Amino acid sequence: MESFWRQDDDDYRTDYDAFLRAKEEQGSTGHTVKVKAKKHLRESGPIDGFYKDNGAAEDEGDSDQIANLLKMTGLDGFVHKLPNSASGAVVASGPSAEHVRVVVLYGTEFGFSKEIAEKLCLQLKEAKTYWPVLVDMADHPTGYELSKEQAVFAVCSTQGDGVPPTEARDFCQWLFAGKAGDLSSLNFSVCALGDRTYQHFCRCGKLIDAALEKAGAKQLVDRVDVNKEDWKAVNAWLEAVVLQLGLQKLKTLGELGGVFTESASEHSAVRRFGKSRPFAATVLATQGLCNLSSTLDKNTVRVEFDLEGSGLTYLPGDALGIYPSNPAQAVAELLEVLRTKGSLAVPPPSWHYEDAAVDSTTRVMPLGQALLKAYDLRSPKPDLLQALLTLITAHLKEAVAIPTPEQAEAEGAPSAHDQEARLQALIADEALHAKYFAERHVIDVLLDFSAARMDATQLLPHLRQLQPRLYSISSSPLEHPTRVQTTVAEVKYETRGRARVGICSTHLSERCQVGSTLPVYIHKNADFRLPEDPSTPIIMVGPGTGLAPFRSFILQRLLERGASDTASEAAGPDAVTTERGQMVLFFGCRRSDQDYLYGDVLDGWAAEGRLTLFNAFSRQQAEKVYVQQRVRENGELLWKLLQQGAHFYVCGDASSMAGAVEVALLEVIAERQDLGAAAAAEYLAELSRVDRYQRDVWFS
C-alpha cells in the first residue's frame, strides 16, 4: 500500500484490491463479541506500478561481500559455501538422523508472513536440534499431510475482508473444511497477521488456529494476533515457540525410521505460473484513452498481453498482477550514494520470484538487477533509522573519517552529531518517524544521514520487498482465451520538490513497447463475480478506471448472449431462449471530451439498447456532478431492479466515492421501503451477505 500518492478526491485510480463481504462478529482473541455500531473502517489498500530495465552487466563479484550480505540477512544459517569454491556458490546443508523435523507453514500476500517463517526456521536451525521445513501454502492447493507431522507452526496474513492470501486460499479452504484428518499427535501454534484498521483483523489466522484445534492438534503456544509489522509481538511469539518446543519429547528422524525424505505432499507440489513464478507475457497492444491538452494531464491506457503457453486463465472480476522494476535512473543514483558498482554479485532475497537474472549455479545476481527487481527503493523498513544511528555512533566513537562540523556546514549538510541527535529524536517518536518516511524515498534517507556511510550489504536487510501491482482485468476471456487486457491510469505526483511517478503506470503509458515482455500472473477475486444466472440484472458503479472490471462484465454478457443467439438460430424456431438481465452502468470522469474512457463503445452499447448508461462529468458544467448523484436521481429504476434480484457492484476509490455511493444507495432503499434508516441498513447488509452487494475498492 502506497500512502505517499497525492490525488484529489474526485480523481480516479486504476489500482485494484479488496474482498468486501459480511461482517465477522469476532474480536481479536477469536471469541464471539457483540458488534457495536459500524464504523467506517479501512477495507483495502492501493497498489500501483511496474517498470522494467535491462540493468547492469553481470560480474563475479566479491565473495567476502557475498558472505557479509548472507550474514547481514541471516541467510548464512541456511547455507554454507562449497569447499574451494571461488565463485561463492552456496548449497543447503542436509539433516542428520538426530534432527527433529519441524514444519513451518506460511501463507502470504506481500511477503511478511514468509519473512517471519524464515526467521523461525533460522532460529530452529541455530538450536542444532531441529530440521525446519519451510512450506508455502500456495504450493499445496489440495492439502498437506499434517497428520504425519509432530510439530507445525503456521504464519498467515489476512487480506481485505477477512480472506486468506490469494494463492493460499485453496489450502486454507481445504483445512477449514476439516480435510486434514485426525491431528491429535500434532503440536502447533499460529502467528496471525493483520491490520486493526481493517474490519476482520487477523481472521484467517484465527480460522487456521480453530481448524487445527478442532482436528485435535495440541496448541503449544497461544496464537498471537500481530498488528501490521509489530516485530515486538512477533519476536515474543518466536521466542515462546522455540522455548516450548524444547520442552517437548519429539522423535528424531532416526527414531522415525531414517533421515529426511521428501513427503508425498511436498513431492506433489504443482509447479505452475503464479505469484512466485510469474509468466513472461508479451505486450500485444497499447492504446491511449484520453485526450491530453497539456503536460499536466494524466493519461489512461489500455494494455493487452499474450498469455499463450502459460496455462493461466481468468474470469471477469479477476486482476492481472504485474511485477515492477525500479527505474534504471533511480538505481544508478542509489548505487552512487552507496559507492558501489551494480555488477557486485549478491544473493537474491528469499521473496524474489523465479528470475533468469539469478545465476542457476552460484545462486547470486548482480546488485544492480537486485535493486531493479527485488527491492522497494521508496519505503524502507522503520529499522533503517536504528541501523543508521548505530553506524554514526560507531563512527564517532572510532574516529572514522567523517565530515567535521565545519566541513559539514561548508557542504550544506548537518554534522554527524546533529544527524545522530535527529535520528534519536525520530526513533523515539513513532508518529514523527512515520511522517518522516511518508515523504522520503530510500535515497533521501541515506542523504539525510550521510555520516553513516552505509554500504549496500548494510542497506539491503532494511529494504522491503518490491511488491507486484494489481490491475483489474478489463477484457473477457470469451474475446480470446489467451489474451488479457488492463486499463491503467498513470500516477504522477510531487514530494519535497521532486517529481515522482507510479513506476508501472508511467511505464505502461509512456515507455511500454509492443513486443516487450513483463512478468505477470492472475490474481483471483472470487468475491467479485457476475451472477451465475445471465437473466439476473446487474447495476455497476465505476467512475474512472473503476470501469475496468465492468467493461469485462459487459463484454462477457454480450459475448455469452451472442453465443446463445447463434445456438438458438441453429436450433430453429422452437428453441428456448434465455432471458437477458438488464445491465446498468454509472460512469464518472471529468469531461466527456477528455477522459471518457471507452466513451464511443459505451455510447454505442447504450444506443443499441444493450446497456443502460448514466454518466457524471464532474468538470463539464459549473456545478460538479458525481456518480452518487446519478444514483439518487435514478432511485426508482434501481429499486425496481433490486426487487427483481439485481446485483449491485461498486469499483473505485474507497476514501470518498464508495462511501458516498453507499450513502446514496441507502437513501434510495430507505425512501422506497419507508421503514427508516435502520431497516435500509439491514436490507443492504443482507444483500452483502448473499453476495448481491459487492465492492472492489481501494484507498487513494
Side-chain angles (χ1 to χ4, degrees), residues 205-226:
K206 295 172 186 176
L207 293 175
I208 291 173
D209 184 78
L212 292 172
E213 190 169 25
K214 186 176 180 180
K218 173 189 174 184
Q219 189 182 61
L220 200 60
V221 175
D222 288 345
R223 186 192 75 241
V224 61
D225 297 335
V226 179

Side-chain angles (χ1 to χ4, degrees), residues 593-613:
D593 60 354
Q594 180 186 8
D595 53 352
Y596 186 13
L597 307 182
Y598 306 106
D600 291 342
V601 176
L602 296 178
D603 288 340
W605 287 337
E608 295 168 358
R610 299 182 176 189
L611 175 70
T612 302
L613 177 64

Side-chain angles (χ1 to χ4, degrees), residues 486-509:
T486 59
T487 301
V488 180
E490 64 182 11
V491 176
K492 294 182 179 180
Y493 59 100
E494 185 177 290
T495 58
R496 299 183 59 78
R498 297 184 64 176
R500 314 283 195 186
V501 298
I503 299 171
C504 180
S505 62
T506 53
H507 171 59
L508 295 175
S509 66

Side-chain angles (χ1 to χ4, degrees), residues 62-76 81 344-347 455-461:
D62 186 331
S63 59
D64 291 335
Q65 292 195 54
I66 297 172
N68 184 30
L69 181 56
L70 288 170
K71 184 176 181 180
M72 291 290 293
T73 58
L75 293 174
D76 59 330
K81 286 190 177 183
L344 173 68
V346 298
D455 63 30
T457 59
Q458 294 164 334
L459 172 65
L460 293 184

Side-chain angles (χ1 to χ4, degrees), residues 112-113 116 155-158 191-195 202 224 226 228 234:
F112 189 40
S113 299
I116 295 171
V155 187
C156 193
S157 61
T158 293
C191 177
L193 306 183
D195 184 335
C202 291
V224 61
V226 179
K228 298 181 180 178
V234 171

